[in-house]
Amino acid sequence: MRPIQAELLDGGALYREVVLGKLAHARESVWISTANVKAMYVEQGGRFVPVLEVLDGLAARGVALRLLHAELPSRPFRAEFDKRSRLVKGGLELKVCPRVHFKTVLVDGAWAYLGSANLTGAGLGAKGEDARNFEMGFVTEDFDVIDRVTALYESVWSGAECRGCRLRPVCPDPIFSGGEGPAKKKGSPAGIRLGKTRRLVRPGRKRA
């Protein structure tokens, strides 16, 4: 077992350190992995704003944004996302994998949060201490930890895990390599080429 330098955080400290301290001040990239995605508010300039407003500001500065998630984002999140053309046009890249359950925030490829909190108000958001979930996680700049988290994230994001995945037949949006065609399933979305940004749409429903 190799010792690492890390700080263990819980409750509101996660919100203050991960979101306000690091994510909001990213200079190059932010990669987020979460099981659930819901409307989430954070403090900016003395007021509470949707986290998507913060991400939109980062995108305007050229910060590369990725969001890897397992579930369909909540309706309020999708409605807020659709208001922001910069994010819709690719400023925030979104991909879905139903097997994703690890929660991480990677900032500038040099700092990482790993823990239990999702990208939700009660997880990483600005909920009051008497309303937020009981969450714990650690933050670190350890290079080996960051490399391993980055490797897993990139493997899922790129579709490297899709070919042999046993959930592929029921996945709402599997990734297919360039020349490979998806198996046709009634009501299923079309296959998406490797590396393209996707937005999750449940079968039979129009995009929000």
Side-chain angles (χ1 to χ4, degrees):
M1 185 177 294
R2 184 181 66 86
I4 66 170
Q5 288 191 330
E7 183 178 3
L8 182 65
L9 303 172
D10 61 17
L14 284 169
Y15 159 67
R16 291 187 293 273
E17 176 67 16
V18 177
V19 178
L20 300 185
K22 292 296 183 179
L23 183 153
H25 300 287
R27 293 173 295 177
E28 297 178 4
S29 63
V30 176
W31 291 7
I32 301 169
S33 175
T34 179
N36 300 318
V37 186
K38 295 182 179 179
M40 176 176 131
Y41 283 78
V42 302
E43 296 168 90
Q44 288 286 290
R47 61 194 182 98
F48 289 92
V49 302
V51 69
L52 285 168
E53 182 171 319
V54 176
L55 295 178
D56 197 22
L58 292 175
R61 301 205 312 264
V63 176
L65 305 174
R66 288 183 176 184
L67 176 57
L68 181 62
H69 55 101
E71 299 288 341
L72 183 73
S74 69
R75 185 170 296 177
F77 182 95
R78 285 180 284 142
E80 188 66 36
F81 178 84
D82 287 341
K83 295 176 185 177
R84 303 181 182 279
S85 61
R86 182 172 21 243
L87 299 184
V88 171
K89 291 176 181 177
L92 173 60
E93 296 184 274
L94 296 141
K95 291 190 181 181
V96 60
C97 170
R99 290 174 59 188
V100 167
H101 203 261
F102 69 104
K103 292 88 174 179
T104 190
V105 179
L106 288 164
V107 178
D108 296 334
W111 180 95
Y113 152 74
L114 283 168
S116 63
N118 284 302
L119 193 70
T120 65
L124 287 176
K127 286 275 188 179
E129 292 299 327
D130 57 350
R132 67 170 54 255
N133 294 338
F134 296 115
E135 309 277 10
M136 295 191 78
F138 71 88
V139 296
T140 184
E141 295 178 341
D142 183 86
F143 290 127
D144 185 58
V145 171
I146 291 169
D147 284 348
R148 293 177 66 179
V149 175
T150 300
L152 174 60
Y153 196 110
E154 187 63 40
S155 184
V156 177
W157 183 270
S158 69
E161 303 292 334
C162 289
R163 185 179 296 277
C165 179
R166 292 188 178 184
L167 294 185
R168 180 166 170 161
V170 297
C171 181
D173 201 4
I175 301 174
F176 298 93
S177 59
E180 181 184 358
K184 296 295 184 181
K185 296 186 296 178
K186 186 177 181 181
S188 296
I192 307 299
R193 292 195 172 193
L194 184 66
K196 296 295 184 181
T197 302
R198 287 98 37 77
R199 294 184 59 199
L200 175 57
V201 180
R202 285 178 174 163
R205 292 192 178 183
K206 295 181 179 179
R207 294 182 184 272

